[in-house]
Amino acid sequence: MHVTRFSQAPAYHPPRHDNMACVRLQGHEAGPSESMWLGVSHVLPGGQTDLAASPVEKMYVVLEGSVSIGNGTEEVELHLHDSVRLAPGESRQVINRGTRTAMVLLVMAYPKA
């Protein structure tokens, strides 16, 4: 068993993420994990990621506030406890169009070796 206290979760700074504060809860520098990692992003009002694809599957769950998720052809607004799955290679852009900070849980697989 490996516990990461939220107050002690290590910050990380992914490229092309503006006005966001991100911490890892499990995996990478937060502790051992074999197939996936877990993080939380605080997305400030106006905060966003670039529209970009990842080679691995991603899942997001909104824990506070709301965010818009776009894939280049459609955009949906997610609210408290809504979730979205993005397939490997599917582009995504996360945007906080609201007036309060949103908190989003991210689950992401490690790239295949």
Side-chain angles (χ1 to χ4, degrees), residues 44-62:
L44 300 175
Q48 64 181 21
T49 67
D50 285 355
L51 179 65
S54 171
V56 298
E57 180 177 32
K58 292 182 179 185
M59 294 183 192
Y60 294 97
V61 180
V62 176

Side-chain angles (χ1 to χ4, degrees), residues 6 9-25 37-45 47-49 58-67 69 92 94-96 100-108:
F6 192 79
Y12 72 102
H13 307 284
R16 301 179 309 276
H17 286 57
D18 298 318
N19 294 315
M20 297 175 68
C22 304
V23 296
R24 279 199 230 276
L25 302 178
W37 63 273
L38 188 64
V40 168
S41 297
H42 290 91
V43 188
L44 300 175
Q48 64 181 21
T49 67
K58 292 182 179 185
M59 294 183 192
Y60 294 97
V61 180
V62 176
L63 302 177
E64 287 183 12
S66 63
V67 293
I69 308 281
R92 68 84 184 96
V94 178
I95 304 173
N96 181 350
R100 54 184 272 232
T101 300
M103 187 185 322
V104 179
L105 176 71
L106 166 65
V107 179
M108 188 169 164

